[in-house]
Amino acid sequence: MAGCNPQVETETDFWTALQSHCGKAYAGELVSDDAADSDFVGADMVMHVRECSDERIAIPFHVRQRGGEWDRSRTWLITRTENGFRLKHDHRHEDGEPDAVTMYGGDSAAPGTSRTQDFPVDAESVAMFEREGLTASVTNVWSVEVDPAGAQKPVFAYQLRRYESEGAPEDRQFRVEFDLANPVEAPPPPWGAEE
């Protein structure tokens, strides 16, 4: 078809897939088995596609801690850019103040697919990680998947990975998946957000 741009179509499809869940919340679980994530094993988790516009989608990630209290400190922010998408992590304290390590992430790596986008760490985040003594994170790649191909059930997945072969001190993988077939009650706002 004349004038078609497959990359633009792919990006439009990914954004449409995300927006199809606007206003909905879903329960999830840790599916990776890295020892560093022992606090997440068996924990209740909810993601909420809380805020949607043509340019930005905000997805708070709520985790029930071992003591029963909910940690509402994390929000994934996905925005459109001229060349794809940007993922940032908004980390807040319970009083709403930003954490010392916040707004890190990166821009989507081409080509991506209509269901999965990878986000290699950007220079701004590398500088922050180095400043805060988190040098293991300077090769991070995050992924967001929406109804990924081959999934037996519709899921939203968030993943962090880094590999020794790519310069990390050791391999690292964190992956959570949320069941998109069964919406749950929307949680309270994340820390620092308006009601």
Side-chain angles (χ1 to χ4, degrees):
M1 196 186 294
C4 277
N5 183 328
Q7 182 64 27
V8 170
E9 288 182 4
T10 294
E11 292 168 4
T12 299
D13 289 347
F14 178 77
W15 195 252
T16 299
L18 278 178
Q19 287 200 318
S20 72
H21 300 287
C22 285
K24 298 176 184 173
Y26 303 96
E29 63 182 349
L30 179 74
V31 297
S32 52
D33 59 2
D34 198 308
D37 300 318
S38 59
D39 287 350
F40 288 87
V41 175
D44 294 330
M45 301 177 183
V46 174
M47 59 83 82
H48 181 201
V49 188
R50 183 172 188 268
E51 178 189 320
C52 294
S53 72
D54 290 342
E55 300 301 321
R56 180 175 118 140
I57 295 176
I59 306 172
F61 171 42
H62 307 263
V63 181
R64 190 194 298 266
Q65 299 173 309
R66 294 202 188 278
E69 294 295 314
W70 283 90
D71 179 342
R72 305 190 192 282
S73 64
R74 305 171 182 90
T75 299
W76 301 315
L77 301 174
I78 302 172
T79 54
R80 298 196 82 155
T81 68
E82 288 184 8
N83 300 309
F85 305 100
R86 178 168 294 142
L87 170 68
K88 290 289 184 175
H89 299 73
D90 186 354
H91 280 199
R92 303 286 179 130
H93 295 284
E94 194 166 0
D95 63 3
E97 287 299 306
D99 190 81
V101 180
T102 189
M103 299 309 289
Y104 57 86
D107 288 354
S108 55
T113 74
S114 61
R115 292 294 185 252
T116 303
Q117 296 287 327
D118 291 338
F119 301 88
V121 64
D122 61 24
E124 179 184 13
S125 302
V126 168
M128 182 179 62
F129 289 147
E130 290 176 339
R131 183 187 73 231
E132 296 296 327
L134 300 172
T135 54
S137 298
V138 300
T139 60
N140 282 1
V141 178
W142 298 272
S143 298
V144 172
E145 302 173 18
V146 187
D147 309 319
Q152 293 185 341
K153 61 181 182 180
V155 299
F156 173 95
Y158 165 90
Q159 179 172 272
L160 157 69
R161 66 186 185 278
R162 56 180 178 256
Y163 300 115
E164 197 172 349
S165 63
E166 297 173 0
E170 59 186 4
D171 288 353
R172 178 81 170 90
Q173 182 177 18
F174 171 83
R175 182 180 175 91
V176 288
E177 293 183 358
F178 300 85
D179 179 7
L180 299 181
N182 296 291
V184 299
E185 184 178 348
W191 296 340
E194 299 287 329
E195 283 289 346

